[in-house]
């Protein structure tokens, strides 16, 4: 109905600490939904946070992925929060998500894969941080933009 009346398409976002967060759950979701009706917003950082392999998943399911959230996770902090059983909210407050140039996600390989796939969907750079002091996000956004330009992504 949204597509017919408004030209909108349903795009589902698997998210940390939900019923569809781990790779097998996302696989099941894709299996159980009609690709003509539902696409996926693939959050690369959340996928890595939940122990998935973002590039492999993207390669396998790129036809269903219409929107990307580009972010990364600090592997050392991720290991710490996993060992402690820390909640997502607390892990986020402890800066488990980091600038793309400093995290576990290989953005050079991601760039190459997106080119190989001829990806034409949407993407947004996202950096989960809460709480965030007023002066924290803007310098990160500037560095991230410079990094992505430097590597030819975006």
């Amino acid at each position: 109905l949204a597509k017919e009346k408004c030209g909108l398409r349903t795009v589902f976002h698997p998210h940390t600490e939900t019923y569809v967060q781990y790779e097998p759950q996302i696989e099941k979701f894709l299996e159980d939904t009609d690709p003509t009706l539902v696409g996926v917003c693939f959050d690369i950082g959340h996928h890595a946070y939940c122990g998935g392999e973002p590039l492999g998943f993207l390669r396998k399911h790129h036809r269903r992925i219409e929107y990307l959230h580009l972010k990364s996770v600090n592997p050392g902090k991720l290991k710490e929060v996993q060992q402690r059983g820390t909640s997502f909210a607390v892990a986020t407050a402890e800066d488990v998500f980091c600038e793309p140039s400093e995290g576990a996600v290989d953005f050079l390989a991601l760039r190459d894969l997106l080119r190989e796939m001829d990806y034409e969907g949407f993407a947004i750079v996202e950096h989960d941080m809460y709480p965030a002091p007023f002066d924290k996000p803007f310098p990160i956004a500037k560095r991230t933009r410079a990094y992505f330009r430097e590597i030819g992504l975006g």
Side-chain angles (χ1 to χ4, degrees):
L1 194 60
K3 186 174 184 177
E4 294 166 7
K5 292 200 178 225
C6 303
L8 299 175
R9 177 151 166 79
T10 301
V11 180
F12 180 78
H13 180 337
H15 199 283
T16 304
E17 288 191 352
T18 67
Y19 290 104
V20 183
Q21 67 175 329
Y22 298 109
E23 200 164 292
Q25 295 168 328
I26 303 168
E27 297 269 356
K28 179 74 170 133
F29 173 83
L30 292 173
E31 197 177 293
D32 291 348
T33 56
D34 183 342
T36 65
L37 298 176
V38 182
V40 172
C41 170
F42 185 53
D43 191 314
I44 292 169
H46 285 195
H47 201 77
Y49 179 91
C50 290
E53 207 302 292
L55 298 181
F57 187 87
L58 179 59
R59 180 179 297 284
K60 183 176 178 182
H61 296 291
H62 69 274
R63 287 179 181 81
R64 292 290 296 270
I65 296 170
E66 300 180 31
Y67 190 15
L68 295 170
H69 282 189
L70 304 176
K71 76 171 79 134
S72 198
V73 63
N74 178 311
K77 287 191 184 218
L78 178 60
K79 188 175 181 176
E80 287 175 29
V81 299
Q82 288 172 331
Q83 288 173 342
R84 292 192 329 251
T86 304
S87 72
F88 176 72
V90 171
T92 300
E94 293 179 1
D95 293 326
V96 72
F97 292 99
C98 61
E99 296 183 39
S101 62
E102 300 170 0
V105 176
D106 182 346
F107 280 95
L108 290 172
L110 174 67
R111 175 206 61 201
D112 295 344
L113 179 57
L114 293 174
R115 287 177 180 168
E116 176 187 320
M117 294 173 0
D118 198 25
Y119 181 75
E120 293 184 0
F122 293 95
I124 188 165
V125 177
E126 189 177 58
H127 187 130
D128 290 349
M129 62 178 84
Y130 182 80
F134 181 77
D135 60 345
K136 184 177 179 181
F138 188 59
I140 291 171
K142 285 174 43 176
R143 287 190 299 271
T144 298
R145 183 176 186 199
Y147 170 69
F148 281 152
R149 280 187 169 168
E150 178 184 314
I151 67 168
L153 185 61

